[in-house]
Amino acid sequence: MKSTSNISIWLIEDNATFRRTIARTIAKQPGFSCDGDFGRAEDALAALKTQAKPAIILLDVGLPGMSGIEAIPQLRALAPDTAMLILTVFEDEEKIVAAICAGASGYLLKTAPAEELIRAMRDVLAGCAPMNGRIARRVLEMFSKLSPRRNDYHLTEREKAVLQQMTEGFIKKEIADHLALSVHTVDTHLRNIYAKLQVNTRTGAVSKALKEGLV
Amino acid sequence: MKSTSNISIWLIEDNATFRRTIARTIAKQPGFSCDGDFGRAEDALAALKTQAKPAIILLDVGLPGMSGIEAIPQLRALAPDTAMLILTVFEDEEKIVAAICAGASGYLLKTAPAEELIRAMRDVLAGCAPMNGRIARRVLEMFSKLSPRRNDYHLTEREKAVLQQMTEGFIKKEIADHLALSVHTVDTHLRNIYAKLQVNTRTGAVSKALKEGLV
DNA sequence: ACGTCCATCACGCATTCGCGGGATGATGCG
DNA sequence: CGCATCATCCCGCGAATGCGTGATGGACGT
């Protein structure tokens, strides 16, 4: 336990020179303290098991051994409330997006001036995610791809209701009861759904419905 | 068809005064032209069916009738390449996140100065998404919630394989053939899966498997 | 007024499924 | 060496399902 008011930062970066530069920048900043610096993600993981969790971990993507991106889920498992900020030399979109998927809280360019580094750290503690527009766009695109409602199988309202009930795991009889129908009617709807979705089993229909967000 | 080089903007905003203000701001900007302004999303949808698609649509969330968020998917269906920028009075996170899921390209505060509006429009055309840190954080959180939902039901490898086959829509016999097992064995695995997942139907198992990313 | 789509209900039959039993060998662990 | 777990296999029964076929009434557009 350092000073009660200090925000604890850890740093994972293989370049020792750069690591020291950053560490000094942080230490100079009132309210922040750099309590740990590591050249490998493995070392930080080991340290997390014994030491107090930091508020923020600054994490290089290009590390020897375990990459920064691989490390994120494991770090997060040990320190669920710690913000993970990615440090990158340049804007490698693929990697940054991967890091975001892995659970990063934002990212910083290594070329960013000290003030920006500090501001980003304050931002992330305040609940904001440092992220530039290009990355943001990529993330948004992933979202709209992730919820692809564009495939329209022209299911009627009733058919959608039946399909929805199916995804809940109900059998025909239960669906019939819930929708106040006879099993025969449910059966007909089911067959129409099969035809429209081009499947021939309940599981196939449920799978397609969930994967394509039809419910 | 206006000037060939002008970027076409549409505006959907129910407050007529504010709408005119924005329209004038856009019109004054060299390279931009406000080719359509609507008080209701329905009107814009109708116009999209007959007129040339704009490059950008500025869209208020709080509209009478169809809300801006509801409108996005329909607008996008008619104009897949148009960027949708959300206009909000204040930072209503829930709505903005909903808009992003619906396919918005970014968002702007109505209180933002004209320069910021113009810059955001240029940004979005350049492939960047205007989005502030707080929203970005929300989006990141949704991502990390969405991907590592690794509830462990202690399924064995064989059970996972069977479950996977089920999500493909295969019946027991087919699964047995694909995994070179007897139907009886598949049946036993299936029953164990049901027990572990606490379901009693194939659809329930498939649903749980897909929703929780077990496959 | 006519056709089309939809929701609703019905019967019959072969297949599949859910689930109750029980059994064997392989493997890992204390 | 027991003990537990897992993967594999088997039987049988009643229920649920898939699918062909058919019918009725309402809504909607033209």
Side-chain angles (χ1 to χ4, degrees):
Chain A
M1 200 78 89
K2 318 266 160 167
S3 158
T4 48
S5 62
N6 269 6
I7 293 159
S8 173
I9 318 279
W10 282 14
L11 181 56
I12 310 176
E13 157 67 53
D14 60 316
N15 182 318
T17 312
F18 184 63
R19 192 168 71 232
R20 271 196 297 273
T21 308
I22 297 276
R24 266 200 292 270
T25 305
I26 294 168
K28 269 192 291 190
Q29 200 65 23
F32 289 91
S33 72
C34 188
D35 298 342
D37 58 302
F38 309 88
R40 303 185 321 131
E42 290 86 343
D43 299 338
L45 282 168
L48 266 185
K49 285 172 186 154
T50 58
Q51 299 176 31
K53 310 330 177 210
I56 301 177
I57 294 179
L58 298 177
L59 182 61
D60 184 21
V61 278
L63 290 169
M66 184 189 299
S67 85
I69 292 167
E70 289 174 86
I72 293 174
Q74 303 190 41
L75 290 167
R76 184 151 302 294
L78 291 170
D81 299 324
T82 295
M84 313 278 170
L85 285 181
I86 307 300
L87 288 172
T88 53
V89 202
F90 56 134
E91 304 190 21
D92 184 340
E93 296 192 16
E94 290 305 329
K95 281 199 182 141
I96 293 169
V97 170
I100 284 169
C101 291
S105 312
Y107 89 98
L108 287 170
L109 289 180
K110 286 188 182 180
T111 54
E115 311 85 63
E116 198 171 318
L117 170 70
I118 301 297
R119 200 178 62 82
M121 291 196 299
R122 292 203 193 279
D123 276 356
V124 82
L125 290 173
C128 297
M131 190 187 342
N132 93 343
R134 196 168 299 275
I135 302 299
R137 175 65 161 259
R138 290 292 305 273
V139 173
L140 293 197
E141 277 167 10
M142 291 184 69
F143 248 97
S144 47
K145 262 186 207 149
L146 217 81
S147 49
R149 202 165 285 261
R150 62 183 166 286
N151 281 10
D152 193 359
Y153 292 96
H154 304 104
L155 294 179
T156 66
E157 284 311 308
R158 226 40 178 167
E159 286 162 355
K160 281 181 196 166
V162 170
L163 186 53
Q164 208 280 328
Q165 289 278 309
M166 255 209 295
T167 63
E168 305 280 343
F170 296 121
I171 62 173
K172 279 185 192 173
K173 178 80 183 72
E174 290 171 329
I175 298 174
D177 290 348
H178 296 164
L179 301 180
L181 299 174
S182 90
V183 255
H184 307 293
T185 308
V186 173
D187 185 77
T188 305
H189 289 316
L190 224 36
R191 274 183 273 162
N192 293 335
I193 292 169
Y194 290 157
K196 288 180 182 176
L197 261 49
Q198 295 183 38
V199 296
N200 51 9
T201 60
R202 310 164 72 63
T203 50
V206 168
S207 174
K208 208 149 188 172
L210 288 176
K211 281 179 185 165
E212 315 207 6
L214 301 176
V215 287
Chain B
M1 202 74 87
K2 318 268 161 165
S3 158
T4 49
S5 62
N6 268 7
I7 293 158
S8 172
I9 317 280
W10 282 14
L11 181 56
I12 310 178
E13 158 66 53
D14 59 316
N15 183 319
T17 312
F18 185 63
R19 193 167 71 233
R20 272 196 296 272
T21 310
I22 297 275
R24 264 199 294 269
T25 305
I26 295 169
K28 268 193 290 189
Q29 199 66 22
F32 289 91
S33 71
C34 189
D35 299 340
D37 57 303
F38 308 89
R40 304 185 322 132
E42 289 87 342
D43 299 339
L45 282 169
L48 266 185
K49 285 171 186 154
T50 58
Q51 300 175 30
K53 314 321 179 212
I56 301 176
I57 294 179
L58 298 178
L59 182 62
D60 184 20
V61 278
L63 289 170
M66 183 189 299
S67 85
I69 292 167
E70 290 174 84
I72 294 174
Q74 305 192 40
L75 291 168
R76 186 152 299 296
L78 292 170
D81 299 324
T82 295
M84 315 276 170
L85 285 181
I86 307 300
L87 288 172
T88 54
V89 201
F90 56 129
E91 305 189 21
D92 183 340
E93 295 191 16
E94 289 306 328
K95 281 196 182 145
I96 292 168
V97 170
I100 285 169
C101 292
S105 311
Y107 88 99
L108 288 170
L109 289 181
K110 287 189 183 180
T111 54
E115 311 85 64
E116 198 170 317
L117 170 70
I118 301 297
R119 199 177 63 81
M121 292 197 297
R122 293 202 192 280
D123 276 356
V124 83
L125 290 174
C128 296
M131 188 185 348
N132 95 341
R134 195 170 301 274
I135 301 299
R137 175 65 161 262
R138 290 293 305 273
V139 173
L140 293 198
E141 276 167 11
M142 290 183 69
F143 249 97
S144 48
K145 263 186 209 150
L146 219 80
S147 49
R149 169 156 294 185
R150 285 276 164 200
N151 285 15
D152 196 357
Y153 291 97
H154 304 103
L155 295 179
T156 67
E157 285 310 308
R158 225 43 178 171
E159 287 162 355
K160 281 181 195 166
V162 171
L163 187 52
Q164 209 281 326
Q165 289 278 310
M166 252 207 298
T167 64
E168 306 278 344
F170 296 120
I171 62 174
K172 280 185 191 174
K173 178 85 183 70
E174 290 171 329
I175 298 174
D177 290 347
H178 296 164
L179 301 180
L181 298 175
S182 89
V183 210
H184 308 292
T185 307
V186 173
D187 186 79
T188 305
H189 289 317
L190 223 37
R191 276 187 264 171
N192 292 335
I193 292 169
Y194 291 159
K196 288 178 181 176
L197 261 50
Q198 296 183 45
V199 296
N200 50 10
T201 60
R202 311 165 70 64
T203 50
V206 169
S207 173
K208 208 149 186 170
L210 288 176
K211 281 180 185 166
E212 316 209 3
L214 300 177
V215 286

